[in-house]
């Protein structure tokens, strides 16, 4: 298990009637708490790191047991988030990953270090990163240089389910909480000139992305503490997937409400 948990078994369920089974299915569906997060729009270069910050923040808050915190400072954004610490988070004594083959040439050293970091990833990091890559492959175009998708972080409990009067055992996943994030990836080339207009435009794009990321993180903390009665007192797991398409009216409202101020009337 990613969390280090074990399978949870329940008492045998006697299916007396289809009506009773239907009511139990309905009750389990209604118990799922769904949180809608603000829309996140970033450039292609910062999308993965932004999603890592949001997902690891949610996993840290919803960890099913005591965990050690580890602060991570984003390279693409001026923000820091807290995630679950793993054994792989401790850097080597000299601050650089080494190889038994010796020191790599200076031109390939950065690439060499990145390969070793990927090799030493924890199961948690690998699961999150692989899920992000799978999600990014499902993005759909919504306009010139724009791609969109709905990311879902779901927490579920494994339950034992008996069929055919207890002759067949089957494990089912009961989702009790889900976080939905609208993601827009902007592939528009950034101005690379050193003139004043290009510098201002790059700063505006950066400030907008950072503002959206911080708004999502703040919303995560706000929603996480609002309701906790639905969290099961047993070991549970999580999965990251592409959620179903949101309502178009909600998308339009989210994009309008998250637009940066073009004119500061107070200045």
């Amino acid at each position: 298990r990613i969390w280090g948990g074990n399978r949870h078994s329940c008492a045998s369920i006697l299916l007396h009637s289809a009506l009773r089974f239907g009511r139990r299915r309905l009750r389990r569906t209604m118990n799922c708490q769904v949180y809608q997060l603000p829309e996140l729009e970033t450039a292609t270069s910062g999308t993965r790191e932004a999603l890592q910050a949001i997902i690891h923040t949610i996993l840290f808050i919803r960890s099913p047991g005591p965990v050690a915190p580890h602060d991570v400072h984003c390279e693409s954004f001026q923000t820091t988030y807290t995630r679950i610490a793993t054994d792989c988070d401790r850097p080597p004594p000299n601050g650089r990953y080494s190889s038994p083959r010796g020191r790599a040439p200076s031109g390939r050293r950065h690439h060499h270090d990145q390969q070793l970091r990927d090799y030493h990833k924890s199961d948690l990091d690998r699961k999150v990163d692989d899920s992000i890559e799978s999600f990014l492959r499902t993005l759909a175009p919504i306009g010139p240089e724009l791609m969109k998708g709905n990311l879902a972080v779901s927490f579920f409990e494994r339950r034992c389910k008996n069929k055919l009067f207890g002759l067949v055992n089957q494990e089912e996943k009961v989702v009790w909480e889900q976080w939905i994030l609208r993601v827009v990836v902007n592939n528009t080339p950034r101005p690379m000139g050193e003139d004043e207009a290009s510098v201002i435009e790059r700063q505006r794009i950066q400030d907008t992305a950072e503002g959206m990321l911080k708004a999502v993180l703040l919303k995560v903390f706000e929603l996480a503490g609002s309701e906790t009665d639905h969290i099961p007192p047993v070991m549970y797991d999580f999965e990251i997937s592409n959620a179903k398409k949101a309502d178009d009216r909600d998308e339009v409202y989210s994009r309008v409400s998250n637009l940066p101020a073009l004119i500061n009337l107070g200045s």
Side-chain angles (χ1 to χ4, degrees), residues 6-19:
N6 298 320
R7 293 179 180 269
H8 176 69
S9 60
C10 61
S12 298
I13 302 174
L14 298 178
L15 303 180
H16 294 294
S17 65
L19 179 61

Side-chain angles (χ1 to χ4, degrees), residues 10 59 66 70 81 84 90 96 116 128 158 189 204 236:
C10 61
L59 297 181
H70 176 69
Y81 65 93
I84 299 175
R90 291 178 295 184
R96 182 177 296 277
L116 287 175
V128 171
R158 299 181 185 273
R204 185 194 67 82
Y236 48 83

Side-chain angles (χ1 to χ4, degrees), residues 89-161:
D89 291 323
R90 291 178 295 184
N94 59 356
R96 182 177 296 277
Y97 292 90
S98 59
S99 171
R101 294 185 178 181
R103 186 176 181 180
S106 57
R108 296 165 22 199
R109 194 173 303 154
H110 177 75
H111 179 67
H112 175 72
D113 290 344
Q114 184 62 45
Q115 285 182 325
L116 287 175
R117 289 191 188 95
D118 294 340
Y119 177 78
H120 290 289
K121 278 184 179 179
S122 66
D123 291 340
L124 177 62
D125 290 325
R126 199 175 303 278
K127 180 175 181 177
V128 171
D129 292 347
D130 290 348
S131 299
I132 291 176
E133 294 301 323
S134 298
F135 167 73
L136 293 178
R137 288 193 292 268
T138 64
L139 296 179
I142 59 172
E145 306 294 342
L146 292 177
M147 304 286 287
K148 182 188 177 300
N150 297 289
L151 181 74
V153 180
S154 305
F155 294 96
F156 62 89
E157 175 189 352
R158 299 181 185 273
R159 293 183 182 178
C160 180
K161 177 181 176 183

